[in-house]
């Protein structure tokens, strides 16, 4: 069965808590903070260590122990990370997979067991992502690749929220990342 590939589009907004209609300018909120720089800093920090986003870390292991998934920035054959910043865009490839079960991998022609995945192993799939945060706008966009029913929205959203919650703020802001329909995108 062939895999289906698709893209999902999300809107990104930040508003002041208890003031739903008071949306912040994403390129200049919280005394000059730029949301795109904030995301770039978060993802770039994943290059320096094994602790990538929303994960447990009993001695430098990474993944989300409660959800049974692991993720990391993908690298090319030279070891360079797939993370690119161009103007108001940040794009790259995030690998994600589940662990916690034991499974056999078989040769589809012979039926022979080729490998055995243990509960400590994860098969990683690469997913494309792109953030677009226009200058002086109170709405930004996130495009995520989906492979069949699999995607990285939950993993990425949890990582952003966790990182965001550790950022000092003079105000109480609420970050929202919501699905966006094509009709709403065309209007924006």
């Amino acid at each position: 069965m062939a895999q289906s590939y698709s893209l999902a589009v999300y809107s990104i907004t930040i508003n002041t808590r208890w003031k739903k209609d008071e949306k912040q300018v994403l390129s200049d909120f919280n005394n000059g903070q730029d949301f795109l720089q904030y995301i770039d800093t978060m993802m770039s920090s994943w290059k320096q260590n094994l602790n990538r986003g929303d994960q447990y870390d009993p001695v430098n292991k990474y993944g989300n122990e409660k959800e049974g998934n692991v993720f990391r920035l993908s690298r090319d054959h030279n070891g360079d990370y797939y993370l690119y910043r161009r103007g108001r865009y940040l794009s790259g490839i995030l690998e994600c997979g589940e662990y916690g079960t034991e499974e056999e991998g078989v040769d589809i022609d012979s039926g022979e067991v080729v490998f055995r995945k243990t509960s400590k192993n994860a098969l990683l799939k690469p997913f494309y992502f792109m953030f677009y945060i226009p200058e002086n706008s109170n709405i930004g966009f996130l495009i995520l690749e989906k492979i069949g029913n699999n995607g990285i929205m939950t993993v990425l959203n949890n990582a952003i929220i966790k990182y965001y919650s550790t950022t000092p703020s003079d105000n109480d802001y609420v970050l929202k990342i919501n699905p966006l329909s094509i009709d709403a995108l065309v209007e924006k």
Side-chain angles (χ1 to χ4, degrees):
M1 177 181 223
Q3 287 284 340
S4 64
Y5 296 86
S6 61
L7 296 176
V9 181
Y10 299 86
S11 66
I12 302 168
T13 58
I14 297 175
N15 62 287
T16 305
R17 187 172 304 279
W18 313 119
K19 297 177 182 177
K20 185 177 173 181
D21 296 328
E22 192 177 301
K23 297 205 181 339
Q24 301 297 308
V25 173
L26 295 175
S27 61
D28 185 15
F29 75 101
N30 192 26
N31 296 319
Q33 189 173 13
D34 181 353
F35 185 74
L36 186 64
Q37 182 59 48
Y38 166 86
I39 293 296
D40 190 5
T41 301
M42 177 189 78
M43 291 190 158
S44 293
S45 75
W46 298 349
K47 294 178 185 180
Q48 277 78 47
N49 59 49
L50 292 177
N51 301 325
R52 292 175 175 85
D54 189 24
Q55 76 289 332
Y56 80 109
D57 182 18
V59 192
N60 293 323
K61 296 178 184 173
Y62 57 98
N64 185 332
E65 191 170 31
K66 286 188 285 190
E67 295 176 14
N69 57 42
V70 62
F71 64 97
R72 66 181 185 187
L73 283 172
S74 184
R75 293 183 184 201
D76 65 17
H77 63 280
N78 294 323
D80 296 325
Y81 289 95
Y82 287 110
L83 184 64
Y84 308 102
R85 172 98 183 251
R86 301 276 190 271
R88 302 299 302 166
Y89 295 87
L90 179 69
S91 63
I93 297 176
L94 196 63
E95 297 174 328
C96 186
E98 295 179 354
Y99 64 92
T101 61
E102 293 187 15
E103 302 168 38
E104 290 184 343
V106 298
D107 182 300
I108 61 168
D109 293 325
S110 69
E112 295 293 320
V113 174
V114 180
F115 66 91
R116 181 166 188 80
K117 182 183 107 36
T118 70
S119 62
K120 296 271 187 192
N121 299 140
L123 301 175
L124 300 179
K125 289 184 180 180
F127 295 94
Y128 173 79
F129 66 86
M130 182 181 74
F131 288 89
Y132 171 54
I133 310 297
E135 191 78 36
N136 300 319
S137 176
N138 61 5
I139 186 168
F141 302 96
L142 171 61
I143 298 174
L144 297 176
E145 177 183 26
K146 290 184 75 171
I147 303 173
N149 291 331
N150 299 311
I152 58 169
M153 178 53 192
T154 301
V155 168
L156 190 56
N157 188 54
N158 288 346
I160 293 169
I161 298 225
K162 182 176 180 181
Y163 187 77
Y164 183 80
S165 70
T166 64
T167 304
S169 173
D170 292 339
N171 294 307
D172 198 10
Y173 294 120
V174 177
L175 169 67
K176 292 185 182 178
I177 301 176
N178 294 315
L180 192 60
S181 73
I182 295 300
D183 294 337
L185 179 61
V186 170
E187 285 181 31
K188 299 269 186 220

